[in-house]
Amino acid sequence: RYGAKAVYRVDEVREAVDGVCPGLALPQSTRCVYRCQLDIPGVLSVSTPGTFVRKKDAEQAAAQIAIEKLGIQPTSNIPNTPEEAWEELISRISYFFTDENFPTSSHPLVGHLSVTLRRTGDFLGKIPISAIIACDVKVHTLCKIIDPKAEFDPLLVLSMIYNAAKQSPGVSVSNRNFWIQSQRPYSPEAVDLALQCWSGISDPIRVEAVLIPCAMEDGPKMVSLNISENEHYMGDIALKLSATDPSHVLVSRTVDKASSEMRFYFPAPDVQFVSDLSKQLVDDRENRNMNCIINKRASYISGQTIYGDAVLANVGYTRRDTELQTDHVNLCTYYRILLRKLPDGIYKISKDSILVAELPCVYARTSWKGPSPRDLLCSFCRLQRLSEPYFAANRVSASCNVLGSAVGSEEMGSAKATAGNQCANDGRIAKENPDMFKCSVKIYSKKRDLLLEYSTDYSWSKETDAIQNSALKVLIWFNRYFKQLNTPVEKLYLPKSTDGFTIYPNIFLQEFAMCLSVYGKTSGGDSRTCSAVGYFSMDTSYQQLESSAFLTDIDGQDSGVFPSHGSLACISYSVHLFMKDSRKRYLLEVNNEFEFEIGAGAVRNQLESCATQLSVNQSACFVDQLSDRDLSLAAACELSLDLSKICRETAASWSSP
């Protein structure tokens, strides 16, 4: 009733985390959070009372408040059985093509339909079945109820929608392609309203995208999509993928941010009769014929099975606008998505320092900058399709036994153990023996199989410090695991390591199998020898400071004040890339105000060595070998197209004024 009128406005704010001692002028750690205001013109306007870490959560909270104020009693109509879901799927598809009011609605599928209604000839009113996959969440939900495997396989979803459409009243599908249309034409009034509400393309649109080949030995490359008037945007994507026609282009779920329309587009397999697709899927899976055409890189990023070459593009229709939404995607976008899935990736991006910043090896509330370790670990688990990490904070008293308090990732600080009655002496806890806290962490798969657990003998005076330090230890373990090269399983997975980690290798390898195929390679013919390094191969283990950086162009008077271990340094720096035999330079990264703690492992060793050799207000340059081309591409937003052609055997100049 109100969906078409609803306007969401999400505001981004910064808030302090891990409270700092009041009265002390200490730097605060902040994080980016969101609040949302929902306006329904002429009806009501509501705002979220608090803030949220994710935009989607803020929008959902505002919608919930609006529902309550409007007195709407939502009823659950989710089917309970696969049979009920199948009947609902048939009804849902029939609604798209038989309801006269649907072409005038704000459903994104009408955007696809409006393009075809501007055509003439055989394609008038025909849309690809994959447009339904891209636009309707409810169809996805029904397919997952029918077969849970549909969550991870767009090809299976295509097969379900096609077979359901054949049984849907008023819907027509072909036996040789994946077009779908209404059996009878829409009324002229409905067509006119749809064309008025959904704007067409007046001028050709050029959109940059990235082609990710299926073959791992072939690197991703830039392609340009040209969208013409009265042409569906999947038409040019089909040409880039050598697909039979636009109806043979499949789409993944949205990639990266939920608010974007960035998806993978890939070709459907060729079959003589489309109705045989379901049978072929079963036969090919049994014979494992389809494993050889799985695009491992695209599948790892999307969390779904992507077949063949894939195009990563940001284009599509949404409820938020009546025009086709487009945005450029380049190699920088692609490599940043890969970087975000690494344990230290979000931290690097949050610091605006991809090439310099490193995940610190110690945590302190007063000096930590950027997202907290706990937030970083939760984000890492979500991006790897794992369950939310489980934190168990324990209160340790000098006069009592350990008392546990389980803290889930959504409940930190809400379930603290109460030990006062058991540990108090005359109603008081001895001040000379204050309570301390420990925290253990467990990482589970989506199926709730335990793959890693961490416990420590260290304790902290505050529960939040115990949780954050334990989360950081787990992050560092994952970070080092991702950087290891050709490590035998027997050496990597100890039943109980001295660092407090217990790894369950079978479950672990099963969950990270796709990840290993993207970031690493298997060598020596031994399937039990794993490498997790391919992209972003940088050693994250912090080493003792070395004065090995050879400084040049030292400028500024020696003030006699040098940064020491434990001090907070603030620098500005720029990173340039240049060829050994060329004078051409590429600006990769620049940061005019970058803070880090000396000795905390928060930056590259070479840069910290440089900083400790300079006094305040001095500047210098030093040269270092390029650690990884792909990391440079993630940093260089504007130069990725040129940089992709540069070989790995180049040098990087690190300038740190």
Side-chain angles (χ1 to χ4, degrees), residues 86-315:
W86 180 253
E87 293 300 324
E88 180 67 22
L89 180 61
I90 293 174
S91 175
R92 183 71 174 171
I93 294 173
S94 180
Y95 158 71
F96 293 147
F97 299 95
T98 60
D99 192 313
E100 282 292 335
N101 294 323
F102 180 71
T104 62
S105 70
S106 62
H107 196 288
L109 190 61
V110 182
H112 294 265
L113 186 61
S114 66
V115 175
T116 67
L117 293 176
R118 289 183 169 89
R119 292 176 175 175
T120 58
D122 294 339
F123 289 101
L124 174 65
K126 290 183 178 180
I127 64 173
I129 292 179
S130 55
I132 300 177
I133 300 175
C135 294
D136 198 74
V137 176
K138 187 173 183 179
V139 165
H140 266 283
T141 303
L142 294 172
C143 289
K144 287 188 290 185
I145 295 174
I146 297 168
D147 188 342
K149 294 178 182 177
E151 180 179 0
F152 309 104
D153 196 343
L155 197 54
L156 180 58
V157 175
L158 175 71
S159 174
M160 288 183 184
I161 295 177
Y162 176 83
N163 291 320
K166 293 186 69 174
Q167 302 179 33
S168 300
V171 179
S172 175
V173 291
S174 170
N175 197 35
R176 294 188 178 277
N177 52 47
F178 299 101
W179 294 108
I180 185 171
Q181 66 181 125
S182 174
Q183 286 182 345
R184 60 185 180 86
Y186 295 101
S187 67
E189 295 78 13
V191 172
D192 289 341
L193 285 173
L195 298 183
Q196 290 174 16
C197 294
W198 293 86
S199 306
I201 298 174
S202 56
D203 298 316
I205 300 176
R206 182 174 175 271
V207 183
E208 298 295 334
V210 176
L211 175 67
I212 296 95
C214 181
M216 292 293 291
E217 59 270 17
D218 298 332
K221 60 182 181 180
M222 296 288 298
V223 294
S224 293
L225 305 178
N226 298 297
I227 307 171
S228 304
E229 183 181 3
N230 296 338
E231 291 294 330
H232 197 279
Y233 65 83
M234 289 190 190
D236 201 49
I237 294 178
L239 293 176
K240 297 294 188 293
L241 296 172
S242 301
T244 306
D245 59 45
S247 75
H248 280 75
V249 176
L250 297 184
V251 297
S252 72
R253 60 166 67 109
T254 55
V255 175
D256 202 27
K257 298 179 181 178
S259 58
S260 78
E261 283 299 306
M262 185 158 49
R263 304 172 187 268
F264 284 106
Y265 296 82
F266 59 101
D270 290 327
V271 290
Q272 184 175 2
F273 297 102
V274 177
S275 56
D276 295 336
L277 180 62
S278 299
K279 181 178 182 300
Q280 179 172 321
L281 280 174
V282 175
D283 294 341
D284 285 343
R285 283 195 178 89
E286 290 178 354
N287 298 328
R288 300 183 182 275
N289 290 335
M290 302 196 76
N291 288 336
C292 61
I293 62 170
I294 291 178
N295 191 316
K296 294 181 178 179
R297 286 173 290 198
S299 299
Y300 170 66
I301 291 173
S302 68
Q304 295 178 297
T305 305
I306 308 297
Y307 301 96
D309 295 343
V311 169
L312 180 63
N314 193 342
V315 56

Side-chain angles (χ1 to χ4, degrees), residues 583-616:
R583 293 186 177 183
K584 189 173 182 179
R585 300 162 69 96
Y586 299 87
L587 178 62
L588 297 182
E589 185 173 275
V590 60
N591 197 320
N592 293 321
E593 188 174 341
F594 179 72
E595 290 185 348
F596 65 96
E597 182 181 346
I598 300 292
V603 294
R604 291 174 60 95
N605 291 336
Q606 296 88 339
L607 184 69
E608 186 164 321
S609 172
C610 171
T612 55
Q613 296 179 60
L614 299 174
S615 64
V616 174

Side-chain angles (χ1 to χ4, degrees), residues 9 34 78 120 228 246 297 335 456 474 478 532 542 572 585:
R9 189 176 76 244
Y34 304 92
I78 299 177
T120 58
S228 304
R297 286 173 290 198
Y335 286 112
T456 178
V474 176
F478 273 114
Y542 183 67
S572 62
R585 300 162 69 96

Side-chain angles (χ1 to χ4, degrees), residues 25-29 347 351 360 362 364-370 561-572 593-603 608 611-612 614-616:
L26 296 176
Q28 286 189 322
S29 177
Y347 180 79
K351 298 280 288 183
V362 293
R365 282 176 291 138
T366 56
S367 60
W368 184 272
K369 302 292 183 181
V561 181
F562 292 85
S564 58
H565 187 89
S567 61
L568 189 64
C570 180
I571 65 171
S572 62
E593 188 174 341
F594 179 72
E595 290 185 348
F596 65 96
E597 182 181 346
I598 300 292
V603 294
E608 186 164 321
T612 55
L614 299 174
S615 64
V616 174

